Amino acid sequence: MVANYLFGSSISAIQAQAKAFEVISHNIANSTTPGHKAETSTFEELVVDAGRVRGNVFPALRGASNVVRRDVRAEGGIQNTNGSLDLALSGRGFFLVNTELDGSGTTLLTDSGQFQRRIVENAGVEEVYLTDNVGNFVLGFPFDAATETFTTVTDTSGLVPIRLDAGGDSFQAVASTQSFIDANLPPDSATGEFFDVGLTIFDGTGAADGIADRHNVTARFTKTATNNEWTLEFFGDNATITAPAAPVTVTFNADGTLNVPPSVDLAITFTDSGGSIATTVDISDMRSFAPEFVLTEAGSNGFEEGDLVASRFNQRGELEGIFSNGQTRNLAKLAIGDVVNPELLAPVTDTHFILSGLNGDLQIFEADINGRAQIVTGALEGSTVDLGEELVRMIETQRAYSSAATTLRTVEELLKTATDLKR
């Protein structure tokens, strides 16, 4: 019936406003979702549908249609959380994540920096990785401990999932090569009187042998009969001192400053671990003043092998590992991705997007290098939803919906009246 087309405008308007209600409801529900990009509902008139007219004007009267757009480029406010793995990205770009651990899944872009630890069984071994709030694996540049540099790449194939468990990274043991003693020896000490200084020496053999890398070595200063003269010799538990082969003579000037030697070469073989080290013991800050022995400081470089016990991000996007031996070292660095036109990204969820083929090439960069983006630690980027605007849109949409419904009733009454007149 030709008159049925009179319902088209009001029905399409009701459908469009219903879709607008759906968009508003979805935005309000995600007003507190970190990284959520708000949608907006706009309308376009469908006055003429050239494909359907074909000499009949009625199919062309199609009313209105709803168009939903999402402002991907918009940024939500930065909200402090103090979470150790919470990150906000200010400026251009997105965090990069992948749906699969081995990188075979889909690479997604997101502003949601609500990261967490996820336990994954990989080849029968439980491993811990950094993931986003929906379980995707966060991608970053790997760190080369040997060169102490990050391996930067220009495509996602060179990025790696960031691992957080102790099995994924350890701090290799380093043998002591430099030691020092800073102490005061009283010049009026009796001949034969001695003072011991303890040194902690690391043999660098690591934990694989089951023997501690840390060893106690004693430096003994013994007063001789000669004025301002002492001897220095070394002793070690389960250790053989191979150098110096004999006690070293240490002399001081009349003003109490050290004369010779400024340092002593020390070589030790440890009988329990089998490790051997050669370290130079710096004694140039030694002095000889009355009235008593004072040990100011003594120590060595080197350290034991350490397991990863904690991690934290810094504002450069670097994930720093804290190890059981007290050392810290970088583990990885977050990779940031960007495209020429973010508005053309295809949404997968409200916070995650993929390339649509209309964005151009994915650009990968480091946040702290070119100034395009800044990482804020212990914070999250909030939703771009403005509740005030959504409430205004809700009132406007409700009135528009009511108007469309009134139009529908009016058309219905007109047709009923026409029908009654015909009868």
Side-chain angles (χ1 to χ4, degrees):
M1 181 179 180
V2 174
N4 287 339
Y5 291 109
L6 297 175
F7 291 99
S9 295
S10 54
I11 291 175
S12 65
I14 289 174
Q15 291 173 336
Q17 299 302 333
K19 180 62 178 178
F21 270 125
E22 181 182 330
V23 170
I24 294 170
S25 174
H26 187 72
N27 282 341
I28 293 176
N30 287 277
S31 61
T32 59
T33 301
H36 172 79
K37 304 298 183 181
E39 294 177 323
T40 56
S41 178
T42 58
F43 304 95
E44 59 184 5
E45 294 181 354
L46 300 179
V47 176
V48 176
D49 187 344
R52 295 188 58 185
V53 173
R54 296 180 184 176
N56 187 349
V57 70
F58 293 106
L61 302 178
R62 294 170 54 82
S65 176
N66 186 287
V67 179
V68 178
R69 292 185 174 87
R70 189 189 303 269
D71 189 359
V72 180
R73 194 188 299 272
E75 291 190 15
I78 304 299
Q79 304 168 350
N80 292 325
T81 65
N82 294 322
S84 61
L85 297 179
D86 286 345
L87 298 175
L89 190 60
S90 176
R92 290 189 62 97
F94 304 85
F95 300 115
L96 295 174
V97 299
N98 195 282
T99 55
E100 299 296 332
L101 178 60
D102 60 3
S104 62
T106 304
T107 298
L108 306 174
L109 294 81
T110 180
D111 272 337
S112 178
Q114 195 173 22
F115 299 145
Q116 56 195 5
R117 294 173 173 86
R118 176 182 171 186
I119 300 175
V120 179
E121 186 171 327
N122 186 19
V125 178
E126 286 191 347
E127 300 172 347
V128 181
Y129 288 89
L130 184 70
T131 64
D132 62 15
N133 59 326
V134 293
N136 299 311
F137 297 93
V138 181
L139 301 178
F141 303 111
F143 182 75
D144 187 339
T147 61
E148 296 187 348
T149 59
F150 295 99
T151 304
T152 56
V153 295
T154 56
D155 60 80
T156 56
S157 62
L159 301 178
V160 298
I162 298 177
R163 189 173 175 183
L164 298 176
D165 60 287
D169 210 338
S170 62
F171 208 112
Q172 297 300 315
V174 176
S176 299
T177 58
Q178 298 290 330
S179 304
F180 68 93
I181 299 174
D182 180 2
N184 177 71
L185 299 174
D188 54 355
S189 298
T191 301
E193 187 175 1
F194 64 87
F195 300 97
D196 289 342
V197 176
L199 288 174
T200 299
I201 302 293
F202 301 93
D203 64 21
T205 57
D209 57 8
I211 300 173
D213 295 353
R214 182 189 299 262
H215 303 274
N216 296 320
V217 173
T218 300
R220 176 168 292 175
F221 294 89
T222 305
K223 185 67 178 69
T224 69
T226 303
N227 191 32
N228 293 326
E229 183 181 272
W230 300 72
T231 60
L232 171 60
E233 56 186 329
F234 297 90
F235 306 91
D237 298 334
N238 298 316
T240 301
I241 308 298
T242 57
V248 176
T249 299
V250 178
T251 62
F252 292 87
N253 300 311
D255 61 358
T257 59
L258 182 71
N259 181 16
V260 290
S263 63
V264 177
D265 291 331
L266 174 63
I268 310 173
T269 298
F270 298 100
T271 56
D272 50 2
S273 67
S276 297
I277 63 100
T279 179
T280 299
V281 183
D282 183 356
I283 59 172
S284 59
D285 289 332
M286 294 283 295
R287 55 207 177 277
S288 182
F289 297 106
E292 59 185 14
F293 170 76
V294 177
L295 175 61
T296 303
E297 192 176 9
S300 302
N301 65 353
F303 33 79
E304 300 170 285
E305 183 175 326
D307 293 326
L308 183 66
V309 295
S311 55
R312 65 193 177 196
F313 279 104
N314 59 31
Q315 293 185 343
R316 296 183 296 276
E318 299 166 349
L319 182 65
E320 299 175 332
I322 303 171
F323 295 84
S324 57
N325 59 3
Q327 303 298 311
T328 60
R329 190 187 67 210
N330 289 323
L331 303 177
K333 187 173 186 178
L334 285 171
I336 307 301
D338 194 18
V339 292
V340 175
N341 190 354
E343 301 304 324
L344 297 178
L345 288 170
V348 177
T349 68
D350 299 316
T351 56
H352 292 69
F353 307 89
I354 59 173
L355 299 180
S356 65
L358 302 174
N359 309 108
D361 295 332
L362 177 64
Q363 305 164 24
I364 300 176
F365 60 94
E366 301 168 75
D368 63 319
I369 298 301
N370 55 20
R372 296 171 69 177
Q374 180 181 1
I375 290 177
V376 183
T377 60
L380 293 173
E381 179 182 335
S383 171
T384 60
V385 173
D386 186 323
L387 285 177
E389 291 183 2
E390 296 301 324
L391 292 175
V392 171
R393 291 193 183 106
M394 183 184 296
I395 296 173
E396 293 173 344
T397 303
Q398 188 274 332
R399 290 179 176 176
Y401 188 95
S402 297
S403 297
T406 300
T407 302
L408 183 63
R409 287 193 299 271
T410 301
V411 172
E412 181 186 11
E413 291 173 358
L414 287 173
L415 289 177
K416 183 178 179 181
T417 300
T419 302
D420 291 342
L421 289 174
K422 182 178 179 181
R423 291 174 182 175

